[in-house]
Amino acid sequence: RFRGGRWLAFAFTVLFGVLGLMASITVGSKTSLAPLVTLAIIAGLVCIYVFTYVPRLERRDAEELAARRAARAAARAARASTEAAPEGTP
């Protein structure tokens, strides 16, 4: 915790965002939009990846977790049934 809290953090985020934007369009003493365009293209590709592929990964992970839980539950049930069986039964 520090004085100013979220407002100060927001102000610094905006400040450094503007500085980053200025740094991305200046090359030496000249101004060029090529670095900014390159950065925007990369950011766009990252967004496409995050919004299209990552949900599939999360869904697959959830399915694998459910399958592992089901397998563990089945193993526990099988172990419990063998432990509860009388001595003379196979």
Side-chain angles (χ1 to χ4, degrees):
R1 303 221 175 237
F2 56 91
R3 292 182 194 251
R6 292 181 185 202
W7 291 107
L8 187 59
F10 179 75
F12 276 108
T13 300
V14 170
L15 173 69
F16 282 102
V18 170
L19 289 173
L21 181 65
M22 289 171 45
S24 69
I25 62 172
T26 57
V27 180
S29 61
K30 298 181 181 181
T31 301
S32 172
L33 289 178
L36 182 61
V37 170
T38 304
L39 183 63
I41 290 171
I42 292 171
L45 292 173
V46 168
C47 286
I48 290 170
Y49 170 78
V50 167
F51 288 116
T52 59
Y53 191 66
V54 169
R56 283 190 254 164
L57 292 175
E58 290 174 343
R59 195 169 33 253
R60 187 178 352 162
D61 187 43
E63 291 169 356
E64 289 174 0
L65 179 62
R68 282 194 304 267
R69 286 182 178 165
R72 273 185 284 189
R76 256 188 256 117
R79 189 171 48 244
S81 67
T82 59
E83 290 174 356
E87 290 285 326
T89 59

